[in-house]
Amino acid sequence: MDKILDELNENQREAACHIDGPLLILAGAGSGKTKTITSRVAYLISLGIDPANILTLTFTNKAANEMRDRALSLIEDVRYPPLLCTFHKFGLLFLKFHINKLNRNNGFVVIDTDDKKRIIKSFGGDMPVSMVASEISRYKNSLISPEEVFRKAEKKEYKAIAKLYEQYENYTQSNNLVDFDDLLVLTYKILELDDELCIQTSQRYKYIMVDEYQDTNELQYRLLRKLCKTHENLCVVGDDDQSIYGWRGANIKNILEFHNTFENVKITKLEKNYRSTNQILKAANDLIDHNRERIGKNLTSVFGDGKEIEFIESHDENYESKTIARKIRKLIDSGVDPRDIAVLYRINALSRSLEEGLNKEGISYNMVGGVKFYERAEIKDLISYLRIIANEHDDFSMKRVVNKPKRGLGKVTIEKILKRSYENKMSMYEFITTHVDEVKKITSKKSFVALEKFIDDIARLKELNKDSSYDFIFEFENAFGIREYYSALPDALDRVSNIDEFYGLYRDFVKQNPEASVDDFLNDLALQSDQDQIDNEHISIMSVHASKGLEFEYLFVMGLEEGFFPLIGDGSDIEEERRLGYVAITRAKRELTLSYVGSRFYKGRRAELKKSRFLKEAGVCKGSLVLEKTTSFKKGDLVKHKIFGIGRVFEISKVKREFKLKINFSGTKRDILASFVEKI
């Protein structure tokens, strides 16, 4: 037992030694949560608790394997290990024994994402397969049926997805296939239908632990409630300040309201940070303290002070990328391992200028969890269009975009046109323009009209290209509506941002090269987007979302402007944006550099920008937007006062720099300053 607990700090030990009843371990970034969880598993077993009664759930196989190895290293002579796996592995094991409850055979086959996409693709249609697969997954994790999706759909795109969802469900069931989401959906349905089995399962797993609880969704929460039907021995570990997947279905209320979901909840906070310096943690603490929806904690470094946070202010994105690239080059030349360096951005479109800056400095980079700017589907579409304008006989590009946006030309029709053009030793463009009657026979009346307009637009833009113009892109978009096409899709935000970035890049090129043509732009592009470094040592570049769980000695965060970080507008959540800022800052171990530009191409045009409010809130610079601090208390919170005891907040008001709470203490209402009570 001493071996298990010796290396834990006071709060970690307190959490590890908690046995019965609900426990929330609020684990700040870099606070040793994995050590705490694995120590608790080992501690329970050391007390004589049957390992078969312990269930620990995580989100990734990597995390599960690491935890299992670390827990077993602390235990001697254990005959069989406790079940420590992902949510989905648990679902798989459960379904192997109980899927017959749904009148299905346990000889089912689990399909992966590629299989899922192939099935969806086989149904035909013009919807992007990846997007349809993602939407179906989102519906399943919210326990929404195809019928319900169709009934609530307002746009025709969503009605089309509902139909594909229904086809997909019928196909998988008739072929006894189970996808990744079904592993949890079907498990929940069985436990919901069979109360006796639900009780038996709950009695088997008497001690349940969940890692990264802030990332759980509605389905995972409901499943956990079923598993805890006969007890409340649920220990959840997470950080409300790192809940950044609301767009993917994660529900922050699962962790924020944990103390209301169960009775007599014990809350232990892990606030000692074993990763970053005090300067980095102060910025993170100051920033996240502006959020209202949080339980509250304050990270302190075990390493003490380090280098002050550096701040880069640039005129535009090109200068920003050049400055960051030169600083990285200087670090590498001084002997820093490139793998210890990373650059983060909030919006994927920002990677374009960064990639070019790194290429020019000869710095090899690895894009984590993303696709390089010029390899993205929407950018390839734009480049294909420009290539056709530069050379109408480019069949490869023609085939890619002749029906994008949709012009009623199916794959069979396109293949027929391609085949006939080859037989006539012509390009597709030449065949369409010279064999009009034959093309009419191959296509429908509606699609022929659309195809005719497409050809006319290419011819018109070819003429316009001869007199290079800043307005060329406006005419280009007006003719083909590519931005409009992508903006109607459910995954529009990133794609439209990338398109705007590309349009801005073209305008900037024309501005600097007034006599240049589309050919010149494409040639320049080919040189800029070519990364030919041959060494295997890469720095990392990635979105803030992709950086979750990672850490780097030297970190750069770029694009800290209003509208970019934080994102502002429909569907954006400023508190989740701020949590993203917190995650970004806490990835840094030794040195942190934050970057802001005065102007950037935005929505196809150069715009003057204000520096992010987060820079002011984090205390790293002056002149940002000023937001008043908000209290972490809200109406309905239970609080404790050292004299008046326990009460409930029913009103909140601001008094200078403090917050005043109106609290009902067992019928007696009092006005108390927020700093004199603590939340229960």
Side-chain angles (χ1 to χ4, degrees), residues 271-293:
E271 298 174 297
K272 280 189 179 178
N273 177 279
Y274 296 87
R275 176 189 297 159
S276 310
T277 63
N278 276 328
Q279 282 83 350
I280 292 167
L281 293 182
K282 182 181 184 305
N285 288 331
D286 287 350
L287 173 64
I288 203 64
D289 201 30
H290 286 76
N291 267 7
R292 180 174 177 179
E293 281 199 324

Side-chain angles (χ1 to χ4, degrees), residues 586-644:
T586 53
R587 299 311 94 197
K589 297 171 72 175
R590 186 185 303 183
E591 292 185 15
L592 174 64
T593 302
L594 305 176
S595 177
Y596 145 77
V597 300
S599 76
R600 193 183 292 278
F601 272 113
Y602 184 55
K603 294 188 176 178
R605 296 192 179 277
R606 183 162 291 284
E608 298 299 313
L609 300 172
K610 294 180 180 178
K611 63 183 72 167
S612 171
R613 70 189 74 183
F614 293 169
L615 294 168
K616 170 68 175 177
E617 292 174 359
V620 298
C621 77
K622 297 178 181 179
S624 318
L625 296 177
V626 179
L627 275 186
E628 289 185 336
K629 236 184 195 182
T630 55
T631 174
S632 61
F633 294 100
K634 56 184 182 294
K635 289 181 184 179
D637 280 348
L638 276 176
V639 295
K640 184 178 181 181
H641 187 274
K642 61 183 180 182
I643 301 296
F644 304 125

Side-chain angles (χ1 to χ4, degrees), residues 125-141:
D126 295 312
M127 300 291 286
V129 173
S130 293
M131 183 268 291
V132 173
S134 177
E135 287 296 297
I136 290 174
S137 179
R138 189 168 67 85
Y139 296 141
K140 285 191 175 190
N141 279 280

Side-chain angles (χ1 to χ4, degrees), residues 191 194-203 226-227 229:
L191 293 174
D194 193 328
D195 198 53
E196 185 178 342
L197 177 60
C198 184
I199 290 170
Q200 289 174 6
T201 307
S202 178
Q203 287 174 338
K226 292 293 182 188
L227 295 175
K229 188 175 180 69

Side-chain angles (χ1 to χ4, degrees), residues 49 189 251 289 303 361 477 555 576 667 673 680:
I49 291 170
K189 284 181 178 177
N251 189 353
D289 201 30
F303 300 122
E361 278 294 325
E477 172 61 33
L555 186 76
E576 181 155 318
L673 293 176
I680 298 177

Side-chain angles (χ1 to χ4, degrees), residues 558-602:
M558 63 183 289
L560 281 156
E561 304 99 32
E562 289 291 299
F564 286 91
F565 199 1
L567 277 180
I568 300 168
D570 293 340
S572 64
D573 177 348
I574 192 61
E575 295 223 344
E576 181 155 318
E577 290 295 309
R578 198 173 279 114
R579 292 194 291 271
L580 269 170
Y582 176 83
V583 167
I585 291 171
T586 53
R587 299 311 94 197
K589 297 171 72 175
R590 186 185 303 183
E591 292 185 15
L592 174 64
T593 302
L594 305 176
S595 177
Y596 145 77
V597 300
S599 76
R600 193 183 292 278
F601 272 113
Y602 184 55

Side-chain angles (χ1 to χ4, degrees), residues 261-278:
T261 307
F262 296 91
E263 294 182 1
N264 302 316
V265 172
K266 178 178 178 60
I267 299 176
T268 300
K269 298 180 182 181
L270 306 185
E271 298 174 297
K272 280 189 179 178
N273 177 279
Y274 296 87
R275 176 189 297 159
S276 310
T277 63
N278 276 328

Side-chain angles (χ1 to χ4, degrees), residues 157-275:
E157 288 87 359
Y158 286 93
K159 287 190 182 295
I161 293 172
K163 287 285 188 184
L164 290 168
Y165 180 16
E166 183 178 42
Q167 283 180 275
Y168 175 74
E169 287 290 85
N170 291 337
Y171 183 92
T172 53
Q173 288 175 34
S174 62
N175 289 278
N176 204 23
L177 304 175
V178 171
D179 70 18
F180 200 59
D181 301 308
D182 288 331
L183 295 173
L184 298 189
V185 173
L186 300 182
T187 296
Y188 175 78
K189 284 181 178 177
I190 292 168
L191 293 174
E192 175 78 358
L193 290 169
D194 193 328
D195 198 53
E196 185 178 342
L197 177 60
C198 184
I199 290 170
Q200 289 174 6
T201 307
S202 178
Q203 287 174 338
R204 175 176 181 179
Y205 299 111
K206 295 177 182 176
Y207 297 91
I208 299 173
M209 278 177 275
V210 183
D211 187 25
E212 302 286 8
Y213 188 65
Q214 78 281 350
D215 293 336
T216 53
N217 60 24
E218 180 66 21
L219 174 57
Q220 288 155 342
Y221 165 76
R222 290 202 201 181
L223 183 57
L224 287 169
R225 293 292 289 171
K226 292 293 182 188
L227 295 175
C228 292
K229 188 175 180 69
T230 63
H231 62 80
E232 291 199 338
N233 296 330
L234 175 63
C235 166
V236 300
V237 188
D239 185 358
D240 53 331
D241 293 332
Q242 294 189 71
S243 179
I244 59 173
Y245 297 114
W247 53 277
R248 204 166 68 185
N251 189 353
I252 191 174
K253 285 186 166 44
N254 289 351
I255 192 167
L256 291 178
E257 297 179 1
F258 184 79
H259 62 286
N260 294 326
T261 307
F262 296 91
E263 294 182 1
N264 302 316
V265 172
K266 178 178 178 60
I267 299 176
T268 300
K269 298 180 182 181
L270 306 185
E271 298 174 297
K272 280 189 179 178
N273 177 279
Y274 296 87
R275 176 189 297 159

